Amino acid sequence: FPAQPGDSRDMLYSYMVNPDDGVRYLMIVNNQTYSNQSAITHTVNFSADIAALTEVSNVDGSYMAPVDLTTTHKAEFSFDVGEGRLFRLDYESGSEPVDDFDSACTFVQRILDFFAMLRDWFYGLFGL
């Protein structure tokens, strides 16, 4: 996973890949939901192959100024109660992960086929 919480705050991390262009995104949501709770500052540790992080505006979808991660691979963000923020992950050149969805589906299907074969063998062995 490209990012890990840097503290023990109650946060939700979601990793998404745009199937059209392969751009990767990270959404971080503050799971605090009570109105009597205050905004928090949350630290995020990023994997070494991520060079920068660009926030996507929740108003118009435009990209904000990128945050350089090449030195510390760490960033701090403020979150209001229940707030979610979306970031584009900018990888070092040549280090973009390859996660072909079709290959993953094929792999899962092979596992399911293997278990179906085992089931059929087991049923045949015991006459079920």
Side-chain angles (χ1 to χ4, degrees):
F1 200 77
Q4 298 294 324
D7 54 49
S8 60
R9 305 235 185 235
D10 187 15
M11 307 297 281
L12 174 69
Y13 283 51
S14 298
Y15 176 69
M16 298 163 276
V17 179
N18 183 332
D20 296 329
D21 59 13
V23 175
R24 286 151 173 76
Y25 295 91
L26 175 68
M27 181 185 291
I28 304 174
V29 178
N30 179 356
N31 273 342
Q32 295 178 338
T33 56
Y34 297 107
S35 60
N36 64 344
Q37 295 172 316
S38 58
I40 62 167
T41 299
H42 179 64
T43 302
V44 183
N45 298 316
F46 293 92
S47 61
D49 56 349
I50 299 176
L53 186 71
T54 305
E55 187 166 3
V56 180
S57 169
N58 63 358
V59 175
D60 62 7
S62 63
Y63 291 119
M64 299 179 183
V67 175
D68 181 22
L69 298 172
T70 56
T71 306
T72 64
H73 302 290
K74 185 181 292 190
E76 284 189 355
F77 303 100
S78 294
F79 289 86
D80 286 330
V81 173
E83 179 184 18
R85 296 171 73 176
L86 180 64
F87 302 93
R88 183 185 71 203
L89 301 175
D90 301 319
Y91 284 82
E92 294 278 347
S93 179
S95 68
E96 296 86 357
V98 176
D99 52 2
D100 182 10
F101 182 73
D102 292 332
S103 294
C105 288
T106 301
F107 176 72
V108 170
Q109 187 60 51
R110 285 183 180 175
I111 291 172
L112 292 173
D113 291 346
F114 174 74
F115 282 115
M117 181 195 66
L118 281 178
R119 180 199 63 217
D120 294 343
W121 175 80
F122 181 80
Y123 287 168
L125 183 65
F126 293 103
L128 300 174

